[in-house]
Amino acid sequence: MSITVRYFASLREQLGISEASVPADGIHCVADVWQRAQPDRDLPPRVLAALNHAHASLEDPVRDGDEVAFFPPVTGG
Amino acid sequence: MSITVRYFASLREQLGISEASVPADGIHCVADVWQRAQPDRDLPPRVLAALNHAHASLEDPVRDGDEVAFFPPVTGG
Amino acid sequence: MTVVLHSDPLEPFSLVSEHERGLAPGSFGACALFVGTMRDFNDGEIVTGMTLEHYPGMTERELALIEDDARTRWPIQDSLIGHRVGRIEPGQPIVVVAAWSAHRQAAFEACQFLMEALKERAPLWKQEALEDGGRRWVSPSPNPSHQGGEGL
Amino acid sequence: MTVVLHSDPLEPFSLVSEHERGLAPGSFGACALFVGTMRDFNDGEIVTGMTLEHYPGMTERELALIEDDARTRWPIQDSLIGHRVGRIEPGQPIVVVAAWSAHRQAAFEACQFLMEALKERAPLWKQEALEDGGRRWVSPSPNPSHQGGEGL
């Protein structure tokens, strides 16, 4: 009954954590996952999210067992 | 006191000749070279010309010792 | 349709050449290819190294989706994306994308699309090591189509 | 800025890779590359071989002028054009063009320009050998920017 939360790149460094697990109860969408995992911080404005390895919006529904990730704009290539 | 004339590709095959030399006297431009070298044929409409290894127009002036070439549209690449 | 992430140095031209040997000879007329290489300068500073962080699993998936998108938009026969991850030295290739098609226009356009989409969507992040020992995360280009940015 | 005409089979990826070794590592961020390969079909017919005629002296000169033109129009650091001449078999590369630059947009645009200009201006002519033993001179594409035509 939990959701995996992952952070990457500068966001990972700022938060000082790369991965966490939060309880799934009461969580409906990606935005809820951030709030549960980082209750003292607003989601930084340019941060992107992914749900189960696919780009996601903050409103996308999340279910028990899902993996949610937050990261800054990508800079590959 | 002569001008070298060269033909390439399908034009070379049609004329049955790849290279010739024509006297330079009385020749002023590229079109004159064709007329001197091929007195019985009009210049075919799509044929291109070069003068001393550079693309040329029919009006470009020709001098003794020059090399003039005639060829069909190019199809490399 | 191949995606490869390399933690070891990437040999882009060998990779493409080898991949091409798997295609039916005579069946394609055009291959367009792009290689992005790490420069030793960026934003006026000397850069001594780079670390490429990625999201294992999602990166491969997203790159494969980008290849699928290219295939629905252009009549390409095959494509290849290779990307370095981990520690990179100046002068080393970072990324290679290639598209094979019957005609050149489709190959060129698909190749450019692969690069633009990769820079916009693939979860990869560059951190530069500077001459003074500092490190900085690379900012995304404000306008990808005009700014370039490989080697950043 | 290099031009090479090959009467022997062309190894485009080795050629580009080797040429790149001559550039200062870390000084360029982007290489865009195009390879045109002989197909075994064209205009609905099976093609068994091809002969590429050229104008020795003028071909090299014209290709070098095309590279000069690219250099005045884009901030490219270097470029390479390699072209086969003589007898070519299906599946063999015909042409390779490459452009190196700091940023990808200039490399892509210069690479495409090199190919378009080559197809419009370089004195090279293809003659195809057909399955029935016949031969035909290839006609130029009516609209080079849309038609493609490599491998023709």
Side-chain angles (χ1 to χ4, degrees):
Chain A
M1 298 300 279
S2 69
I3 291 159
T4 302
V5 195
R6 303 185 68 177
Y7 307 101
F8 290 94
S10 55
L11 185 66
R12 172 181 56 70
E13 286 193 344
Q14 281 158 32
L15 299 176
I17 182 174
S18 62
E19 191 169 334
S21 187
V22 298
D25 60 288
I27 282 183
H28 301 288
C29 67
V30 170
D32 295 340
V33 175
W34 176 270
Q35 210 173 11
R36 173 77 47 97
Q38 301 290 335
D40 301 331
R41 286 178 194 255
D42 288 340
L43 185 69
R46 299 186 67 201
V47 163
L48 305 171
L51 174 60
N52 298 328
H53 291 180
H55 286 289
S57 74
L58 294 176
E59 298 74 36
D60 283 352
V62 172
R63 291 187 301 187
D64 187 26
D66 281 351
E67 177 171 309
V68 172
F70 297 98
F71 43 76
V74 303
T75 56
Chain B
M1 299 299 279
S2 68
I3 290 158
T4 302
V5 194
R6 303 184 68 176
Y7 308 101
F8 290 94
S10 54
L11 185 65
R12 172 181 56 70
E13 286 193 342
Q14 282 158 32
L15 299 176
I17 183 174
S18 62
E19 192 169 333
S21 186
V22 297
D25 60 288
I27 283 182
H28 301 288
C29 67
V30 170
D32 295 339
V33 176
W34 176 269
Q35 211 174 10
R36 173 77 45 97
Q38 301 290 334
D40 301 332
R41 287 178 194 254
D42 287 339
L43 185 69
R46 299 186 69 202
V47 163
L48 305 172
L51 173 61
N52 298 329
H53 291 179
H55 286 291
S57 73
L58 295 176
E59 298 74 37
D60 283 351
V62 173
R63 291 189 298 185
D64 187 26
D66 281 351
E67 176 171 309
V68 172
F70 298 98
F71 45 76
V74 302
T75 57
Chain C
M1 308 277 279
T2 302
V3 167
V4 268
L5 297 181
H6 295 251
S7 50
D8 296 320
L10 185 60
E11 300 270 6
F13 302 113
S14 313
L15 193 70
V16 169
S17 175
E18 205 162 304
H19 187 85
E20 194 177 274
R21 266 180 237 128
L23 303 184
S27 67
F28 59 92
C31 172
L33 173 61
F34 179 83
V35 181
T37 298
M38 192 193 154
R39 292 182 315 204
D40 53 15
F41 59 96
N42 187 28
D43 281 345
E45 294 215 52
I46 292 174
V47 180
T48 59
M50 185 184 276
T51 305
L52 254 153
E53 183 168 334
H54 77 298
Y55 185 172
M58 179 171 170
T59 310
E60 296 88 332
R61 182 184 181 282
E62 194 63 26
L63 293 175
L65 286 176
I66 288 168
E67 290 196 310
D68 288 344
D69 284 359
R71 196 164 203 160
T72 62
R73 295 171 65 164
W74 289 277
I76 57 171
Q77 274 175 271
D78 205 354
S79 63
L80 171 72
I81 300 179
H83 207 292
R84 272 297 297 279
V85 294
R87 169 82 189 173
I88 304 181
E89 307 294 328
Q92 289 185 341
I94 299 171
V95 60
V96 53
V97 302
W100 286 266
S101 179
H103 294 290
R104 74 183 180 288
Q105 202 60 23
F108 270 129
E109 289 178 10
C111 180
Q112 266 189 283
F113 169 83
L114 291 172
M115 265 310 289
E116 302 301 329
L118 182 156
K119 291 184 86 84
E120 273 169 40
R121 293 161 46 183
L124 291 150
W125 301 272
K126 289 175 182 158
Q127 189 183 54
E128 293 174 337
L130 302 178
E131 219 184 2
D132 61 7
R135 299 180 309 140
R136 65 177 177 196
W137 290 96
V138 169
S139 302
S141 311
N143 185 336
S145 61
H146 293 93
Q147 185 81 5
E150 51 293 326
L152 288 182
Chain D
M1 308 276 281
T2 301
V3 167
V4 269
L5 297 180
H6 295 251
S7 49
D8 295 320
L10 184 60
E11 301 270 6
F13 302 113
S14 312
L15 193 71
V16 169
S17 175
E18 204 161 305
H19 186 85
E20 196 178 271
R21 265 179 239 129
L23 304 183
S27 66
F28 58 92
C31 171
L33 174 61
F34 179 83
V35 181
T37 299
M38 192 192 154
R39 293 182 317 204
D40 53 16
F41 58 93
N42 187 27
D43 281 344
E45 295 213 52
I46 292 174
V47 180
T48 60
M50 186 186 273
T51 304
L52 253 154
E53 183 168 334
H54 77 297
Y55 185 170
M58 179 171 172
T59 310
E60 296 88 331
R61 181 184 183 280
E62 194 64 25
L63 293 175
L65 286 177
I66 288 169
E67 289 195 310
D68 287 344
D69 283 0
R71 196 164 204 161
T72 61
R73 294 170 65 163
W74 290 278
I76 57 172
Q77 273 175 273
D78 204 356
S79 63
L80 170 73
I81 300 179
H83 207 292
R84 272 298 295 280
V85 295
R87 170 83 189 173
I88 303 183
E89 308 294 328
Q92 288 185 342
I94 299 171
V95 60
V96 53
V97 302
W100 285 266
S101 178
H103 294 290
R104 75 184 179 286
Q105 202 59 24
F108 270 129
E109 290 177 9
C111 180
Q112 268 190 282
F113 169 83
L114 291 172
M115 265 309 290
E116 302 301 328
L118 182 157
K119 290 184 87 83
E120 273 170 40
R121 292 162 46 182
L124 291 149
W125 301 273
K126 289 174 181 159
Q127 189 183 55
E128 293 174 337
L130 302 177
E131 220 183 0
D132 62 6
R135 298 181 309 140
R136 65 176 177 197
W137 290 97
V138 169
S139 301
S141 311
N143 185 336
S145 61
H146 292 93
Q147 186 82 6
E150 50 294 326
L152 288 182

